Amino acid sequence: LKSNPSNNEEKEAQTQLTKSDELQRLHSQALSAYQQEDYEAAISLLDEILAVCVWDAELRELRAECYIKEGEPSKAISDLKAAAKLKSDNTEAFYKISKIYYQLGDHELSLSEVRECLKLDQDHKQCFSLYKQVKKLNKQIESAEEFIREGRYEDAISKYESVMKTEPEVPVYATRAKERICHCLSKNQQATEAIKLCTEVLQVEPTNVNALKDRAEAYLLEDLYEE
């Protein structure tokens, strides 16, 4: 503007300067809220900034952290995916996305994302460690499902027991394994064990349709028609 003054442009420049000052103020407030663990307030402030600064990867990563702390992992994934595209070689974003999918029980998507991290850096320690864990779990689940398709229920039960040993820390895998073991027991005419295991699953997930169906099949085997 100093080199080529113009009234219209000066007005526009002043507006933009005022807006940028306001955004910097909001940014300071958002960081302060994050540090004070007021994640809801931080998200609200970051929403305002990102409405203008759409392509800011760091702000998206910060909002993703807030979503994780607030127990909204799917919203965090959305921001992290954008950050992974906006910043080249963003291994950290791919690692976090993979980790979230893993915690949610989606081992296949977790494996896919952690591979993206290793494509960028094959020596990334965290990604390689997670990759080994997810790959092992994924292979066991695929193998168990193959046994079920072949009607080899004892082998499938054994494989799903291995799944629970491989991942004892994330509850969703134990619940899913128990659900599938109940299915195998029911198919194998082991009604009492099937009822017991399906009941365990239904205590955690009362509306689990598969567990309800398999327990119903087991009740039929025991002539417990009312149940």
Side-chain angles (χ1 to χ4, degrees):
L1 274 173
K2 280 175 183 165
S3 65
N4 186 13
S6 138
N7 285 342
N8 284 349
E9 283 175 0
E10 193 170 342
K11 210 172 184 180
E12 172 67 10
Q14 285 301 335
T15 306
Q16 295 288 8
L17 266 176
T18 308
K19 193 184 277 185
S20 80
D21 288 343
E22 170 68 4
L23 289 172
Q24 281 180 324
R25 187 179 63 77
L26 289 173
H27 188 211
S28 297
Q29 286 180 343
L31 287 173
S32 173
Y34 177 77
Q35 279 150 8
Q36 287 164 23
E37 299 181 11
D38 186 353
Y39 304 115
E40 201 177 330
I43 289 166
S44 177
L45 291 158
L46 289 164
D47 286 347
E48 279 190 70
I49 307 167
L50 281 159
V52 182
C53 307
V54 185
W55 314 115
D56 193 312
E58 275 83 6
L59 290 176
R60 287 193 177 274
E61 285 170 343
L62 181 60
R63 188 168 67 177
E65 280 300 311
C66 294
Y67 280 136
I68 291 166
K69 301 282 189 189
E70 282 289 285
E72 297 193 74
S74 52
K75 288 183 179 177
I77 286 172
S78 171
D79 267 342
L80 287 166
K81 282 192 170 180
K85 286 196 181 97
L86 291 166
K87 205 157 77 179
S88 63
D89 297 347
N90 196 344
T91 52
E92 195 58 30
F94 285 117
Y95 172 72
K96 284 180 182 172
I97 296 166
S98 176
K99 191 88 176 159
I100 293 170
Y101 276 134
Y102 185 72
Q103 297 288 337
L104 291 172
D106 199 328
H107 50 95
E108 287 170 334
L109 279 175
S110 175
L111 190 59
S112 163
E113 295 295 334
V114 80
R115 277 182 175 140
E116 291 301 317
C117 172
L118 290 170
K119 275 183 200 169
L120 295 171
D121 178 6
Q122 61 188 28
D123 298 322
H124 194 289
K125 280 183 183 172
Q126 285 176 306
C127 283
F128 187 65
S129 171
L130 182 61
Y131 171 72
K132 282 197 297 183
Q133 174 72 1
V134 187
K135 192 181 178 192
K136 183 180 179 184
L137 194 76
N138 197 55
K139 198 172 178 184
Q140 286 175 335
I141 292 169
E142 280 180 353
S143 176
E145 289 300 313
E146 184 63 33
F147 286 144
I148 289 172
R149 283 191 290 274
E150 292 169 3
R152 294 166 61 187
Y153 299 117
E154 288 295 334
D155 290 332
I157 289 168
S158 171
K159 195 57 80 172
Y160 267 120
E161 282 167 351
S162 300
V163 166
M164 289 193 276
K165 284 182 191 138
T166 299
E167 185 42 83
E169 303 294 321
V170 184
V172 66
Y173 294 106
T175 305
R176 203 60 62 241
K178 284 177 184 177
E179 177 202 304
R180 297 306 279 154
I181 291 170
C182 169
H183 174 75
C184 295
L185 289 167
S186 181
K187 289 284 184 192
N188 228 15
Q189 313 255 313
Q190 293 166 266
T192 311
E193 295 94 323
I195 291 164
K196 180 176 174 285
L197 212 56
C198 269
T199 302
E200 278 184 40
V201 173
L202 289 161
Q203 280 165 353
V204 182
E205 297 177 356
T207 56
N208 185 313
V209 176
N210 293 328
L212 285 166
K213 285 198 298 184
D214 289 323
R215 189 169 69 172
E217 291 291 337
Y219 280 141
L220 285 175
L221 292 170
E222 293 284 278
D223 298 334
L224 295 165
Y225 301 120
E226 287 296 326
E227 286 86 338

